[in-house]
Amino acid sequence: MLTARHVVNTIGALVLAFWSLAQVRPVTAATAEVDAAYPKAYAVYVDLHEHPELSGYETRTAAKLATELRSLGYTVSEHVGGTGVVAILRNGPGKTVMLRTELDALPVEEQTGLAYASKVHAKDDAGRDVPVGHMCGHDLHISALVATAGIMARSRDSWRGTLILIGQPAEETISGASAMVRDGLFTRFPRPDVVLALHVGNELPAGEVGVTSGIYDSNADSLRITIYGKGGHGSAPHTTVDPIVIAARTILSLQTIVSREVKPGEFAVVTVGYINAGTKNNIIPDRAELGLTVRTYKAEIRRPVLDAITRIVNAEAQAAGAPRAPSIERYETTDAVYNDPALTQRLRTALEGALDKSNVVSQEPITASEDFSVFVGQGIPGFYLSLGGADPQKYQAAKAAGTHLPSNHSSLFAPDVDPAMHTAITAELAMLRDLLKADGGQ
């Protein structure tokens, strides 16, 4: 006899079954081709993760990318702007679209505990032995691009035009994009109508992407400041001009720029990342060196902040009676990435169709920086996409606790490769196929 309890249990089982089916990713032609490409992409990812290379020294990484793309039928040029790779696939008349990945890793010792964690050490530009790790996700970007390249090559009936894939060196030192442009990226090769890139991070759960219209990230300026003093014995400071004391006062005074000279609500960051001075506790040195990173969104904020740094540094040295004015070297700089609003809206629609609308979220500009802006600065509309990389469960737990997961550049940064890479490949295909429509649609 059918009891009320049986009815309730039966209904509960049916609800659970329907819920479970709703969680299954629908199998379409697009998901099937991404699934088929994933195992190879994952193998490339593990290999790259185990063999990271510093900025400007990405010889093995570049050679691997070039070999993979050449095997897929792309016309490949190497050593563009150093270790840069340019791969071209022509498929009839149409637009020209460029998709970029980065090649380099960081001087960070990986602490993720992954079976394929990097154990690599290398010499940096100063000849120091440093650990090297892909702690920013560039290995995932490269692997996704290889998979996307293969699918695009095998499905030429779905698009028309020219596809350019580039492997850019030295993104972490914001110098590789400029080097590629100087080496003829847009003169030796077809000039793209649109440039695209993406970046993985833990700000979103894997499976989601973030879209930002207009300013995407910040201007970046790296400053090296040398403060000159008069050295001597630590027991007789009255016979010296102590550059460490000047440096300390300078650091504190620099913090007033954002708090007192930038209009509240405007974005600016002045961070002193290092101070180098002295060799022994009882020796007052002749000089002290400070390393600064400065971030802003707007040009009208950027210039006054840099001017204020110069004013404060010189004033503190003069107030202490320094024997000479400090030197201020602006040695790395890049502009903010700007996402073309019309292009952003078009690609958002394409992404929503491929990933589901709920997985495409709006984001505010981020405070980090990168040199993709160099390509956009050549007068080419660009779009830069944020790719979720956080384990969804860990992301929700951190959000509930009000904490943050390890960020890019952390020794603990490790994206949730699946589904992050599936999402990256799907997103790249959606954007490329929309821009390179076979019917020539705009």
Side-chain angles (χ1 to χ4, degrees):
M1 182 175 66
L2 189 63
T3 66
R5 181 178 180 181
H6 287 139
V7 172
V8 171
N9 288 342
T10 300
I11 292 173
L14 288 171
V15 170
L16 180 60
F18 280 119
W19 182 87
S20 298
L21 287 172
Q23 308 312 303
V24 177
R25 186 159 46 102
V27 178
T28 64
T31 58
E33 61 187 355
V34 174
D35 288 343
Y38 180 80
K40 172 63 180 297
Y42 182 75
V44 172
Y45 171 77
V46 171
D47 178 73
L48 293 172
H49 195 89
E50 290 182 316
H51 300 92
E53 295 175 301
L54 292 173
S55 303
Y57 300 92
E58 313 94 336
T59 53
R60 182 186 185 276
T61 306
K64 184 175 183 64
L65 176 61
T67 298
E68 294 287 349
L69 296 178
R70 195 173 282 119
S71 72
L72 294 170
Y74 288 74
T75 301
V76 178
S77 298
E78 299 180 67
H79 310 296
V80 180
T83 58
V85 176
V86 178
I88 300 174
L89 187 63
R90 291 180 170 86
N91 192 31
K95 289 187 176 181
T96 298
V97 178
M98 185 185 93
L99 174 64
R100 184 213 74 168
T101 184
E102 318 91 314
L103 301 176
D104 53 341
L106 288 159
V108 176
E109 185 171 8
E110 182 170 355
Q111 303 288 342
T112 62
L114 293 169
Y116 50 85
S118 170
K119 298 178 178 62
V120 172
H121 278 244
K123 298 292 185 182
D124 66 8
D125 287 339
R128 298 169 297 193
D129 182 79
V130 296
V132 188
H134 266 298
M135 312 317 299
C136 204
H138 295 176
D139 48 352
L140 190 147
H141 304 167
I142 300 168
S143 307
L145 181 138
V146 169
T148 297
I151 295 171
M152 292 295 287
R154 292 187 291 270
S155 61
R156 299 190 194 195
D157 58 340
S158 69
W159 62 279
R160 291 289 181 271
T162 299
L163 174 58
I164 303 175
L165 304 176
I166 72 166
Q168 179 204 311
E171 184 278 327
E172 296 294 354
T173 56
I174 53 177
S175 59
S178 294
M180 293 191 79
V181 170
R182 288 195 302 270
D183 201 15
L185 177 61
F186 297 137
T187 55
R188 293 166 50 193
F189 308 100
R191 180 180 172 87
D193 298 297
V194 175
V195 290
L196 306 173
L198 57 73
H199 206 297
V200 67
N202 275 339
E203 292 76 21
L204 290 173
E208 292 186 7
V209 295
V211 174
T212 305
S213 184
I215 294 173
Y216 172 81
D217 65 5
S218 67
N219 303 304
D221 295 285
S222 298
L223 305 179
R224 185 181 295 113
I225 297 171
T226 304
I227 296 169
Y228 300 98
K230 177 184 176 184
H233 202 288
S235 68
H238 59 289
T239 66
T240 73
V241 176
D242 193 337
I244 295 178
V245 173
I246 301 173
R249 289 174 175 165
T250 300
I251 292 169
L252 292 177
S253 294
L254 290 174
Q255 304 313 303
T256 66
I257 296 174
V258 175
S259 67
R260 287 296 177 270
E261 298 192 38
V262 175
K263 180 182 177 181
E266 296 286 0
F267 169 72
V269 169
V270 178
T271 293
V272 179
Y274 73 81
I275 173 171
N276 290 331
T279 57
K280 196 173 184 295
N281 66 304
N282 64 346
I283 300 175
I284 293 174
D286 289 318
R287 63 183 62 190
E289 182 178 290
L290 306 179
L292 277 66
T293 186
V294 182
R295 309 296 173 112
T296 53
Y297 288 146
K298 300 177 181 178
E300 59 267 30
I301 301 296
R302 184 184 200 178
R303 186 70 261 166
V305 168
L306 293 173
D307 288 345
I309 291 171
T310 298
R311 185 189 75 240
I312 288 172
V313 169
N314 283 318
E316 290 291 352
Q318 185 177 12
R324 56 182 287 199
S327 68
I328 304 173
E329 179 188 359
R330 187 179 174 205
Y331 65 96
E332 289 176 345
T333 181
T334 191
D335 295 337
V337 171
Y338 184 81
N339 281 343
D340 180 85
L343 176 63
T344 299
Q345 183 54 50
R346 172 176 178 169
L347 293 181
R348 182 182 191 123
T349 301
L351 291 166
E352 289 176 347
L355 297 171
D356 191 270
K357 193 171 184 177
S358 63
N359 291 322
V360 182
V361 302
S362 297
Q363 283 190 307
E364 295 295 316
I366 65 173
T367 59
S369 310
E370 81 117 272
D371 62 352
F372 181 75
S373 58
V374 171
F375 304 134
V376 177
Q378 304 302 304
I380 304 171
F383 178 66
Y384 199 101
L385 181 69
S386 293
L387 174 69
D391 177 289
Q393 291 184 333
K394 293 180 181 178
Y395 175 84
Q396 291 299 333
K399 187 175 181 181
T403 59
H404 297 279
L405 296 174
S407 65
N408 299 84
H409 293 209
S410 164
S411 62
L412 298 173
F413 178 75
D416 188 3
V417 182
D418 183 13
M421 193 183 300
H422 272 95
T423 305
I425 301 165
T426 302
E428 289 177 349
L429 289 171
M431 293 189 293
L432 293 175
R433 284 172 169 166
D434 183 80
L435 294 169
L436 296 168
K437 288 182 177 178
D439 61 5
Q442 300 298 314

